Amino acid sequence: MPKTSNQFADISDFADKAAELAAARQHLHAHPELSFQEQETAAYVAERLESWGYEVTRNVGGLGVVGGAGPGRRPRSPRPGPPARPPRRPRPPRPGCTPP
């Protein structure tokens, strides 16, 4: 049976990058930074993502890094979001108050 394509990454997709991913993890653990001061970590992560072909947006909310999948690939959430709440019923106006 041919393998069907889905929108999710599979662990086997990263098998050829196992050594590179382990080296990245070891680098990050060998060069810790204080919380909210992770400038070198953010730069390192952005450089790694770019080298793997991801579109990168830097300085999101300060030091944040966002890696997009690029053209032709759409990352999807592995699970759906929470169910939508039904709309609330409007409360009746209080006595003596005029509604807006």
Side-chain angles (χ1 to χ4, degrees):
M1 175 179 256
K3 183 178 178 183
T4 59
S5 173
N6 65 26
Q7 301 294 330
F8 307 108
D10 189 77
I11 194 69
S12 63
D13 297 339
F14 301 99
D16 60 334
K17 293 192 184 303
E20 191 175 355
L21 291 169
R25 179 182 54 84
Q26 290 168 354
H27 172 83
L28 292 172
H29 285 276
H31 300 91
E33 294 183 276
L34 295 174
S35 294
F36 304 106
Q37 299 176 22
E38 303 97 338
Q39 295 177 353
E40 297 299 321
T41 300
Y44 180 81
V45 170
E47 289 168 9
R48 294 284 85 206
L49 289 172
E50 287 173 339
S51 74
W52 295 331
Y54 288 91
E55 296 174 352
V56 174
T57 304
R58 298 171 188 247
N59 302 320
V60 177
L63 295 170
V65 175
V66 176
R73 294 184 280 172
R74 295 178 46 211
R76 303 291 300 244
S77 173
R79 58 185 178 189
R85 288 188 199 174
R88 296 178 100 187
R89 292 182 304 171
R91 292 182 179 169
R94 292 182 181 175
C97 296
T98 57

